[in-house]
Coordinates of all heavy atoms in Angstrom, one line a residue:
M1 N 0.8 -1.2 0.0 CA 0.0 0.0 0.0 C 0.9 1.2 0.0 O 1.8 1.3 0.8 CB -0.9 0.0 1.2 CG -1.7 1.2 1.4 SD -2.8 1.2 2.8 CE -3.9 -0.1 2.4
S2 N 0.6 2.2 -0.8 CA 1.4 3.4 -0.9 C 1.1 4.3 0.3 O 0.1 4.2 1.0 CB 1.1 4.1 -2.2 OG -0.2 4.8 -2.1
K3 N 2.0 5.2 0.5 CA 1.9 6.2 1.6 C 0.6 7.0 1.4 O -0.1 7.4 2.3 CB 3.1 7.1 1.7 CG 4.3 6.4 2.3 CD 5.4 7.3 2.5 CE 6.6 6.5 3.1 NZ 7.7 7.4 3.5
T4 N 0.3 7.3 0.1 CA -0.9 8.1 -0.2 C -2.2 7.3 0.2 O -3.1 7.9 0.8 CB -1.0 8.5 -1.7 OG1 0.2 9.3 -2.0 CG2 -2.2 9.4 -2.0
E5 N -2.2 6.1 -0.2 CA -3.4 5.2 0.1 C -3.5 5.1 1.6 O -4.6 5.2 2.2 CB -3.2 3.8 -0.5 CG -3.4 3.8 -2.0 CD -3.1 2.5 -2.6 OE1 -2.1 1.8 -2.2 OE2 -3.8 2.1 -3.5
F6 N -2.4 4.9 2.3 CA -2.4 4.8 3.8 C -2.9 6.1 4.4 O -3.8 6.0 5.3 CB -1.0 4.5 4.3 CG -1.0 4.5 5.8 CD1 -1.5 3.5 6.6 CD2 -0.5 5.7 6.5 CE1 -1.5 3.5 8.0 CE2 -0.5 5.7 7.9 CZ -1.0 4.7 8.6
S7 N -2.5 7.2 3.9 CA -2.9 8.5 4.4 C -4.4 8.7 4.2 O -5.1 9.2 5.1 CB -2.1 9.6 3.8 OG -2.5 10.8 4.3
D8 N -4.9 8.3 3.0 CA -6.3 8.5 2.8 C -7.1 7.6 3.7 O -8.1 8.0 4.2 CB -6.6 8.1 1.3 CG -6.1 9.1 0.3 OD1 -5.7 10.2 0.7 OD2 -6.0 8.8 -0.9
R9 N -6.7 6.4 3.9 CA -7.5 5.4 4.7 C -7.4 5.9 6.2 O -8.4 5.9 6.9 CB -7.0 4.0 4.6 CG -7.3 3.4 3.3 CD -6.9 2.0 3.2 NE -7.1 1.4 1.9 CZ -7.0 0.2 1.6 NH1 -6.6 -0.7 2.5 NH2 -7.3 -0.3 0.4
H10 N -6.2 6.3 6.6 CA -6.1 6.8 8.0 C -7.0 8.0 8.2 O -7.6 8.1 9.2 CB -4.6 7.2 8.2 CG -4.3 7.8 9.5 ND1 -4.3 9.1 9.8 CD2 -4.0 7.2 10.7 CE1 -4.0 9.3 11.1 NE2 -3.8 8.1 11.6
N11 N -7.0 9.0 7.3 CA -7.9 10.1 7.4 C -9.3 9.8 7.5 O -10.1 10.4 8.2 CB -7.6 11.2 6.3 CG -6.2 11.8 6.4 OD1 -5.7 11.9 7.5 ND2 -5.7 12.3 5.3
M12 N -9.8 8.8 6.6 CA -11.2 8.4 6.7 C -11.5 7.7 8.0 O -12.6 8.0 8.6 CB -11.5 7.5 5.5 CG -11.5 8.2 4.2 SD -11.8 7.3 2.6 CE -12.4 5.7 3.2
F13 N -10.6 6.9 8.5 CA -10.9 6.2 9.7 C -11.0 7.2 10.9 O -11.9 7.2 11.7 CB -9.8 5.2 10.0 CG -9.9 4.4 11.3 CD1 -10.8 3.3 11.3 CD2 -9.3 4.8 12.5 CE1 -11.0 2.6 12.5 CE2 -9.5 4.1 13.6 CZ -10.3 3.0 13.6
Q14 N -10.0 8.2 10.9 CA -10.0 9.2 11.9 C -11.2 10.1 11.9 O -11.8 10.4 12.9 CB -8.8 10.1 11.7 CG -8.6 11.1 12.8 CD -7.3 11.9 12.6 OE1 -6.7 11.9 11.6 NE2 -7.0 12.7 13.7
T15 N -11.7 10.4 10.7 CA -12.9 11.3 10.6 C -14.2 10.5 10.9 O -15.0 11.1 11.6 CB -13.0 11.8 9.2 OG1 -11.7 12.6 8.9 CG2 -14.1 12.8 9.0
F16 N -14.4 9.3 10.4 CA -15.7 8.7 10.4 C -15.8 7.5 11.5 O -16.9 7.2 11.8 CB -16.0 8.1 9.0 CG -16.1 9.2 8.0 CD1 -15.2 9.3 7.0 CD2 -17.1 10.2 8.1 CE1 -15.2 10.3 6.0 CE2 -17.2 11.1 7.1 CZ -16.2 11.2 6.1
C17 N -14.7 7.0 11.9 CA -14.9 5.8 12.8 C -14.6 6.0 14.2 O -15.4 6.0 15.1 CB -14.0 4.6 12.2 SG -14.5 4.1 10.6
R18 N -13.3 6.2 14.5 CA -12.9 6.3 15.9 C -11.8 7.4 16.1 O -10.7 7.1 16.3 CB -12.2 4.9 16.4 CG -13.1 3.7 16.2 CD -14.0 3.4 17.4 NE -13.4 3.4 18.7 CZ -12.9 2.4 19.3 NH1 -12.9 1.2 18.8 NH2 -12.5 2.5 20.5
P19 N -12.3 8.6 16.0 CA -11.3 9.7 16.1 C -10.4 9.7 17.4 O -9.3 10.0 17.3 CB -12.2 11.0 16.0 CG -13.6 10.6 16.2 CD -13.7 9.1 15.9
G20 N -11.0 9.4 18.5 CA -10.2 9.3 19.7 C -9.2 8.3 19.7 O -8.0 8.5 20.1
L21 N -9.5 7.1 19.2 CA -8.6 6.0 19.1 C -7.4 6.4 18.1 O -6.3 6.1 18.4 CB -9.2 4.7 18.7 CG -8.3 3.5 18.5 CD1 -7.6 3.2 19.8 CD2 -9.1 2.3 18.0
T22 N -7.8 7.0 17.0 CA -6.8 7.4 16.0 C -5.8 8.3 16.6 O -4.6 8.2 16.4 CB -7.4 8.0 14.8 OG1 -8.4 7.0 14.3 CG2 -6.4 8.3 13.7
E23 N -6.3 9.3 17.4 CA -5.3 10.2 18.0 C -4.4 9.5 19.0 O -3.2 9.8 19.1 CB -6.1 11.3 18.7 CG -6.9 12.3 17.8 CD -7.7 13.3 18.5 OE1 -7.5 13.5 19.7 OE2 -8.7 13.8 17.9
L24 N -5.0 8.6 19.8 CA -4.2 7.9 20.7 C -3.1 7.0 20.0 O -1.9 7.1 20.4 CB -5.0 6.9 21.6 CG -4.3 6.0 22.5 CD1 -3.5 6.7 23.6 CD2 -5.3 5.0 23.1
L25 N -3.5 6.3 19.0 CA -2.5 5.5 18.3 C -1.4 6.3 17.6 O -0.3 5.9 17.6 CB -3.2 4.6 17.2 CG -4.2 3.5 17.8 CD1 -4.9 2.9 16.6 CD2 -3.4 2.5 18.6
T26 N -1.8 7.4 17.1 CA -0.8 8.3 16.4 C 0.1 8.9 17.5 O 1.3 8.9 17.2 CB -1.5 9.5 15.7 OG1 -2.4 8.9 14.7 CG2 -0.6 10.4 15.0
S27 N -0.4 9.2 18.6 CA 0.5 9.9 19.7 C 1.5 8.9 20.2 O 2.6 9.3 20.6 CB -0.4 10.4 20.8 OG -0.9 9.4 21.6
V28 N 1.3 7.6 20.1 CA 2.2 6.6 20.6 C 2.9 5.9 19.5 O 3.6 4.9 19.7 CB 1.6 5.6 21.6 CG1 1.2 6.4 22.9 CG2 0.5 4.9 21.0
G29 N 2.8 6.3 18.3 CA 3.5 5.7 17.1 C 2.9 4.4 16.7 O 3.6 3.6 16.1
L30 N 1.6 4.1 17.0 CA 1.1 2.8 16.6 C 0.0 2.9 15.5 O -0.7 2.0 15.3 CB 0.4 2.1 17.8 CG 1.4 1.7 18.9 CD1 0.7 1.1 20.1 CD2 2.4 0.7 18.4
D31 N 0.0 4.0 14.8 CA -0.9 4.1 13.6 C -0.3 3.5 12.4 O 0.2 4.1 11.5 CB -1.2 5.6 13.4 CG 0.0 6.5 13.2 OD1 1.1 6.1 13.7 OD2 -0.1 7.5 12.6
K32 N -0.3 2.1 12.4 CA 0.4 1.3 11.4 C -0.7 0.5 10.7 O -1.8 0.4 11.2 CB 1.4 0.3 12.1 CG 2.4 1.0 13.0 CD 3.3 1.8 12.2 CE 4.4 2.4 13.2 NZ 5.1 3.5 12.6
I33 N -0.3 -0.1 9.6 CA -1.2 -1.1 8.9 C -0.6 -2.5 9.4 O 0.5 -2.9 9.0 CB -1.1 -0.9 7.4 CG1 -1.6 0.4 7.0 CG2 -1.9 -2.1 6.7 CD1 -1.5 0.7 5.6
Y34 N -1.4 -3.1 10.2 CA -1.0 -4.4 10.8 C -1.3 -5.5 9.8 O -2.4 -5.6 9.3 CB -1.6 -4.6 12.1 CG -1.1 -3.6 13.1 CD1 -1.9 -2.5 13.4 CD2 0.1 -3.8 13.8 CE1 -1.4 -1.5 14.3 CE2 0.5 -2.8 14.7 CZ -0.2 -1.7 14.9 OH 0.2 -0.8 15.8
K35 N -0.3 -6.3 9.5 CA -0.5 -7.3 8.4 C -1.0 -8.7 9.0 O -1.6 -9.5 8.2 CB 0.7 -7.5 7.6 CG 1.9 -8.1 8.4 CD 3.1 -8.3 7.5 CE 4.2 -9.1 8.2 NZ 5.3 -9.4 7.3
R36 N -0.8 -8.9 10.3 CA -1.3 -10.1 10.9 C -1.4 -10.0 12.4 O -0.8 -9.1 12.9 CB -0.5 -11.3 10.4 CG 0.9 -11.4 11.0 CD 1.7 -12.5 10.4 NE 3.0 -12.6 11.0 CZ 3.4 -13.3 12.0 NH1 2.5 -14.1 12.6 NH2 4.6 -13.3 12.5
G37 N -2.0 -10.9 13.0 CA -2.1 -11.0 14.4 C -2.0 -12.5 14.9 O -2.4 -13.4 14.2
E38 N -1.3 -12.7 16.0 CA -1.2 -14.0 16.5 C -1.0 -14.0 18.0 O -0.2 -13.3 18.5 CB 0.1 -14.7 15.9 CG 0.3 -16.2 16.3 CD 1.5 -16.8 15.6 OE1 1.7 -16.5 14.4 OE2 2.2 -17.5 16.3
G39 N -1.9 -14.7 18.7 CA -1.9 -14.6 20.2 C -2.2 -13.2 20.6 O -3.1 -12.5 20.2
D40 N -1.3 -12.6 21.5 CA -1.4 -11.3 22.0 C -0.7 -10.2 21.2 O -0.6 -9.1 21.6 CB -0.9 -11.2 23.4 CG -1.7 -12.1 24.4 OD1 -2.9 -12.2 24.2 OD2 -1.1 -12.6 25.4
Y41 N -0.2 -10.6 20.0 CA 0.7 -9.7 19.2 C 0.1 -9.4 17.9 O -0.6 -10.2 17.3 CB 2.1 -10.4 19.0 CG 2.8 -10.5 20.3 CD1 2.7 -11.7 21.0 CD2 3.5 -9.5 20.9 CE1 3.4 -11.9 22.3 CE2 4.2 -9.6 22.1 CZ 4.1 -10.8 22.8 OH 4.8 -11.0 24.0
L42 N 0.4 -8.2 17.4 CA 0.1 -7.7 16.1 C 1.5 -7.5 15.4 O 2.5 -7.2 16.0 CB -0.7 -6.4 16.1 CG -2.1 -6.5 16.7 CD1 -2.7 -5.1 16.8 CD2 -3.0 -7.4 15.8
Y43 N 1.5 -7.6 14.1 CA 2.7 -7.5 13.3 C 2.5 -6.5 12.1 O 1.5 -6.5 11.5 CB 3.1 -8.8 12.7 CG 3.4 -9.8 13.8 CD1 2.4 -10.6 14.4 CD2 4.7 -10.0 14.3 CE1 2.6 -11.5 15.4 CE2 4.9 -11.0 15.3 CZ 3.9 -11.7 15.8 OH 4.1 -12.6 16.8
Y44 N 3.5 -5.7 11.9 CA 3.5 -4.8 10.7 C 4.9 -4.7 10.2 O 5.9 -5.1 10.9 CB 3.0 -3.4 11.1 CG 4.0 -2.5 11.9 CD1 4.9 -1.7 11.3 CD2 4.0 -2.6 13.3 CE1 5.8 -1.0 12.1 CE2 4.8 -1.9 14.1 CZ 5.7 -1.0 13.5 OH 6.6 -0.3 14.3
D45 N 5.1 -4.3 9.0 CA 6.4 -4.1 8.3 C 6.8 -2.7 8.5 O 6.1 -1.8 8.1 CB 6.3 -4.5 6.9 CG 6.2 -6.0 6.7 OD1 6.5 -6.8 7.6 OD2 5.7 -6.4 5.6
N46 N 8.1 -2.5 8.9 CA 8.6 -1.1 9.0 C 9.1 -0.7 7.6 O 8.9 -1.4 6.6 CB 9.7 -1.0 10.0 CG 11.0 -1.8 9.7 OD1 11.1 -2.3 8.5 ND2 11.9 -1.9 10.6
E47 N 9.6 0.5 7.5 CA 10.1 1.1 6.2 C 11.1 0.2 5.5 O 11.2 0.3 4.3 CB 10.6 2.5 6.4 CG 9.6 3.5 6.9 CD 9.3 3.4 8.4 OE1 10.1 2.9 9.2 OE2 8.2 3.9 8.8
Q48 N 11.9 -0.5 6.3 CA 12.9 -1.4 5.7 C 12.4 -2.8 5.3 O 13.1 -3.6 4.8 CB 14.1 -1.6 6.6 CG 14.9 -0.3 6.8 CD 14.2 0.7 7.8 OE1 13.6 0.3 8.7 NE2 14.4 1.9 7.5
G49 N 11.1 -3.0 5.6 CA 10.5 -4.3 5.2 C 10.6 -5.3 6.3 O 10.3 -6.5 6.1
Q50 N 11.2 -4.9 7.5 CA 11.3 -5.9 8.6 C 10.0 -6.0 9.4 O 9.3 -5.0 9.6 CB 12.4 -5.4 9.5 CG 13.8 -5.3 8.9 CD 14.8 -4.5 9.8 OE1 14.4 -3.5 10.3 NE2 16.0 -5.1 9.9
E51 N 9.7 -7.2 9.8 CA 8.5 -7.4 10.5 C 8.7 -7.0 12.0 O 9.7 -7.3 12.6 CB 8.1 -8.9 10.5 CG 6.7 -9.1 11.2 CD 6.3 -10.6 11.0 OE1 6.8 -11.4 11.8 OE2 5.5 -10.8 10.1
I52 N 7.8 -6.1 12.5 CA 7.8 -5.6 13.8 C 6.7 -6.2 14.6 O 5.5 -6.2 14.2 CB 7.7 -4.1 13.9 CG1 8.8 -3.5 13.0 CG2 7.8 -3.6 15.3 CD1 10.2 -3.7 13.4
Q53 N 7.0 -6.8 15.8 CA 6.0 -7.4 16.7 C 5.6 -6.3 17.7 O 6.4 -5.7 18.4 CB 6.6 -8.6 17.4 CG 5.7 -9.3 18.4 CD 6.4 -10.4 19.1 OE1 7.5 -10.2 19.7 NE2 5.9 -11.6 19.0
V54 N 4.3 -6.2 18.0 CA 3.7 -5.2 18.9 C 2.8 -6.0 19.8 O 1.8 -6.7 19.4 CB 3.0 -4.1 18.2 CG1 2.4 -3.1 19.2 CG2 3.9 -3.4 17.2
L55 N 3.0 -5.8 21.1 CA 2.0 -6.4 22.1 C 0.7 -5.6 22.1 O 0.8 -4.4 22.2 CB 2.6 -6.4 23.5 CG 1.8 -6.9 24.7 CD1 1.5 -8.4 24.4 CD2 2.5 -6.8 26.0
D56 N -0.4 -6.3 21.9 CA -1.7 -5.6 21.6 C -2.4 -5.4 23.0 O -3.1 -6.2 23.5 CB -2.6 -6.4 20.7 CG -3.9 -5.7 20.4 OD1 -4.0 -4.5 20.7 OD2 -4.8 -6.4 19.9
F57 N -2.2 -4.1 23.5 CA -3.0 -3.8 24.7 C -4.3 -3.1 24.4 O -5.1 -2.9 25.3 CB -2.2 -2.8 25.6 CG -1.0 -3.4 26.3 CD1 0.3 -3.0 26.0 CD2 -1.2 -4.3 27.3 CE1 1.4 -3.6 26.6 CE2 -0.1 -4.9 28.0 CZ 1.1 -4.5 27.6
L58 N -4.5 -2.8 23.1 CA -5.7 -2.1 22.7 C -6.7 -2.9 22.0 O -7.7 -2.4 21.5 CB -5.4 -0.9 21.8 CG -4.5 0.2 22.4 CD1 -4.1 1.2 21.4 CD2 -5.1 0.8 23.6
G59 N -6.5 -4.2 21.9 CA -7.4 -5.1 21.2 C -8.8 -5.2 21.8 O -9.0 -4.8 23.0
G60 N -9.7 -5.6 21.1 CA -11.1 -5.8 21.6 C -11.2 -6.9 22.6 O -10.3 -7.6 22.8
Y61 N -12.4 -7.1 23.1 CA -12.6 -8.1 24.1 C -12.2 -9.5 23.6 O -11.6 -10.3 24.3 CB -14.1 -8.1 24.6 CG -14.5 -6.9 25.3 CD1 -15.3 -5.9 24.7 CD2 -13.9 -6.6 26.5 CE1 -15.6 -4.8 25.4 CE2 -14.3 -5.4 27.2 CZ -15.1 -4.5 26.6 OH -15.5 -3.4 27.3
G62 N -12.6 -9.9 22.4 CA -12.3 -11.2 21.8 C -10.8 -11.4 21.7 O -10.2 -12.4 22.1
A63 N -10.0 -10.4 21.2 CA -8.6 -10.5 21.1 C -7.9 -10.6 22.5 O -7.0 -11.3 22.7 CB -8.0 -9.3 20.3
N64 N -8.4 -9.9 23.4 CA -7.9 -9.9 24.8 C -8.1 -11.2 25.5 O -7.3 -11.7 26.2 CB -8.4 -8.8 25.7 CG -7.8 -7.4 25.3 OD1 -6.8 -7.4 24.6 ND2 -8.5 -6.4 25.7
L65 N -9.3 -11.8 25.2 CA -9.6 -13.1 25.9 C -9.0 -14.3 25.2 O -8.5 -15.2 25.9 CB -11.2 -13.3 25.9 CG -11.9 -12.3 26.8 CD1 -13.4 -12.5 26.6 CD2 -11.6 -12.5 28.3
F66 N -9.0 -14.3 23.9 CA -8.7 -15.5 23.1 C -7.4 -15.3 22.3 O -6.8 -16.3 21.8 CB -9.8 -15.9 22.2 CG -11.1 -16.2 22.9 CD1 -12.1 -15.3 22.8 CD2 -11.2 -17.2 23.8 CE1 -13.3 -15.5 23.4 CE2 -12.4 -17.5 24.4 CZ -13.5 -16.6 24.3
G67 N -6.9 -14.1 22.1 CA -5.8 -13.9 21.3 C -6.2 -13.7 19.8 O -7.3 -14.0 19.5
H68 N -5.3 -13.2 19.0 CA -5.6 -13.0 17.6 C -5.4 -14.4 16.9 O -4.5 -15.1 17.1 CB -4.6 -12.0 17.0 CG -4.8 -10.6 17.5 ND1 -5.8 -9.8 17.1 CD2 -4.1 -9.9 18.4 CE1 -5.8 -8.6 17.7 NE2 -4.7 -8.7 18.5
N69 N -6.4 -14.7 16.0 CA -6.3 -15.9 15.2 C -6.2 -17.2 16.0 O -5.4 -18.1 15.7 CB -5.1 -15.8 14.2 CG -5.4 -14.8 13.1 OD1 -6.5 -14.7 12.6 ND2 -4.4 -14.0 12.8
H70 N -7.0 -17.3 17.0 CA -7.0 -18.5 17.8 C -7.4 -19.7 16.9 O -8.5 -19.6 16.2 CB -8.0 -18.3 19.0 CG -7.9 -19.4 20.0 ND1 -8.5 -20.7 19.8 CD2 -7.4 -19.5 21.2 CE1 -8.2 -21.5 20.8 NE2 -7.6 -20.7 21.7
P71 N -6.6 -20.7 16.9 CA -6.9 -21.8 16.0 C -8.3 -22.5 16.1 O -8.9 -22.8 15.1 CB -5.8 -22.9 16.3 CG -4.8 -22.2 17.1 CD -5.5 -21.0 17.7
R72 N -8.7 -22.7 17.3 CA -10.1 -23.4 17.4 C -11.2 -22.4 17.0 O -12.1 -22.9 16.4 CB -10.3 -23.8 18.9 CG -9.5 -25.1 19.2 CD -9.8 -25.7 20.5 NE -11.0 -25.3 21.2 CZ -11.1 -25.3 22.6 NH1 -10.1 -25.8 23.3 NH2 -12.2 -24.9 23.2
L73 N -11.1 -21.1 17.3 CA -12.1 -20.2 16.9 C -12.1 -20.0 15.4 O -13.2 -20.0 14.8 CB -11.9 -18.8 17.6 CG -12.1 -18.8 19.1 CD1 -11.8 -17.4 19.6 CD2 -13.5 -19.2 19.4
N74 N -10.9 -20.0 14.8 CA -10.8 -19.9 13.3 C -11.4 -21.1 12.7 O -12.2 -21.0 11.7 CB -9.4 -19.7 12.9 CG -8.9 -18.3 13.1 OD1 -9.7 -17.4 13.3 ND2 -7.6 -18.2 13.0
R75 N -11.1 -22.3 13.2 CA -11.7 -23.6 12.6 C -13.2 -23.6 12.7 O -13.9 -23.9 11.8 CB -11.0 -24.8 13.3 CG -11.4 -26.1 12.7 CD -10.6 -27.3 13.3 NE -10.6 -27.3 14.8 CZ -9.5 -27.0 15.5 NH1 -8.4 -26.7 14.9 NH2 -9.6 -27.1 16.8
T76 N -13.7 -23.2 13.9 CA -15.2 -23.2 14.1 C -15.8 -22.2 13.2 O -16.9 -22.5 12.6 CB -15.5 -22.9 15.6 OG1 -14.9 -23.9 16.4 CG2 -17.0 -22.9 15.8
A77 N -15.2 -21.0 13.0 CA -15.8 -20.0 12.1 C -15.8 -20.5 10.7 O -16.8 -20.3 10.0 CB -15.0 -18.7 12.3
Q78 N -14.8 -21.2 10.3 CA -14.7 -21.7 8.9 C -15.7 -22.8 8.7 O -16.4 -22.9 7.7 CB -13.3 -22.2 8.6 CG -12.3 -21.1 8.4 CD -10.9 -21.6 8.2 OE1 -10.6 -22.9 8.2 NE2 -9.9 -20.7 8.1
E79 N -15.9 -23.7 9.7 CA -16.9 -24.7 9.6 C -18.3 -24.1 9.5 O -19.1 -24.6 8.7 CB -16.8 -25.7 10.8 CG -15.6 -26.5 10.8 CD -15.4 -27.3 12.1 OE1 -16.2 -27.1 13.0 OE2 -14.4 -28.0 12.2
M80 N -18.6 -23.1 10.3 CA -19.9 -22.5 10.3 C -20.1 -21.7 8.9 O -21.2 -21.8 8.4 CB -20.1 -21.5 11.4 CG -20.1 -22.2 12.8 SD -21.3 -23.5 13.0 CE -22.8 -22.6 12.8
F81 N -19.1 -21.1 8.4 CA -19.2 -20.4 7.1 C -19.5 -21.3 6.0 O -20.3 -21.0 5.1 CB -17.9 -19.6 6.9 CG -17.9 -18.9 5.6 CD1 -18.6 -17.7 5.5 CD2 -17.2 -19.3 4.5 CE1 -18.6 -16.9 4.4 CE2 -17.3 -18.6 3.3 CZ -18.0 -17.4 3.2
H82 N -18.9 -22.5 6.0 CA -19.1 -23.5 4.9 C -20.3 -24.5 5.1 O -20.6 -25.3 4.3 CB -17.8 -24.3 4.7 CG -16.7 -23.5 4.2 ND1 -16.7 -22.9 3.0 CD2 -15.5 -23.1 4.8 CE1 -15.6 -22.2 2.8 NE2 -14.9 -22.3 3.9
C83 N -20.9 -24.3 6.3 CA -22.0 -25.2 6.6 C -23.3 -24.8 5.9 O -23.7 -23.6 5.9 CB -22.2 -25.2 8.1 SG -23.5 -26.3 8.7
A84 N -24.1 -25.7 5.3 CA -25.4 -25.4 4.7 C -26.3 -25.1 5.9 O -26.4 -25.8 6.9 CB -25.9 -26.6 3.9
P85 N -27.2 -24.1 5.7 CA -28.1 -23.7 6.8 C -28.9 -24.8 7.4 O -29.2 -24.9 8.6 CB -29.0 -22.6 6.2 CG -28.2 -22.1 5.0 CD -27.3 -23.2 4.6
Q86 N -29.4 -25.7 6.5 CA -30.3 -26.8 7.0 C -29.5 -27.8 7.8 O -30.1 -28.6 8.5 CB -31.0 -27.4 5.9 CG -30.1 -28.2 4.9 CD -29.6 -27.3 3.7 OE1 -29.7 -26.1 3.8 NE2 -29.1 -27.9 2.7
N87 N -28.2 -27.8 7.7 CA -27.4 -28.8 8.4 C -26.7 -28.3 9.7 O -26.0 -29.0 10.4 CB -26.3 -29.4 7.5 CG -26.9 -30.1 6.3 OD1 -28.0 -30.7 6.4 ND2 -26.2 -30.1 5.2
C88 N -26.8 -27.0 9.9 CA -26.1 -26.4 11.1 C -26.8 -26.5 12.3 O -28.0 -26.5 12.4 CB -25.8 -24.9 10.8 SG -24.6 -24.7 9.4

């Protein structure tokens, strides 16, 4: 994603979604595009392309309770997604 695209998305999020959260993340240098999450951590690539690990203290209730991408939750969600309504 280009810096212009990031800036546009950041500005739209700040204006329309969670302005207070955006200000907080910007003030502590966490206004990043996170590429993945695992357990209690989020990951983004820095300017040199190196993956940076960040402990997620701001995650939602699900992420705080179960972690990001919990294997059993992901498996259950995929099963439910592919399940025919009459068989679920």
Side-chain angles (χ1 to χ4, degrees):
M1 175 179 297
S2 73
K3 288 186 179 186
T4 302
E5 290 173 318
F6 173 78
S7 180
D8 290 346
R9 289 183 183 189
H10 179 266
N11 291 336
M12 287 179 14
F13 182 82
Q14 182 176 13
T15 302
F16 298 111
C17 296
R18 304 274 310 268
L21 178 60
T22 303
E23 290 176 24
L24 173 64
L25 292 174
T26 300
S27 71
V28 295
L30 294 176
D31 54 337
K32 309 292 183 194
I33 297 176
Y34 296 96
K35 65 179 189 175
R36 68 185 182 95
E38 184 177 320
D40 293 328
Y41 295 94
L42 295 170
Y43 299 85
Y44 72 92
D45 290 336
N46 67 10
E47 293 81 18
Q48 292 78 33
Q50 298 167 316
E51 186 175 80
I52 305 296
Q53 180 184 52
V54 177
L55 181 58
D56 183 13
F57 286 115
L58 299 174
Y61 294 110
N64 288 343
L65 292 173
F66 304 109
H68 295 281
N69 291 317
H70 190 283
R72 282 187 15 206
L73 292 177
N74 283 346
R75 186 173 48 254
T76 300
Q78 289 175 1
E79 288 170 1
M80 295 303 295
F81 181 75
H82 294 294
C83 181
Q86 66 272 15
N87 297 330
C88 292

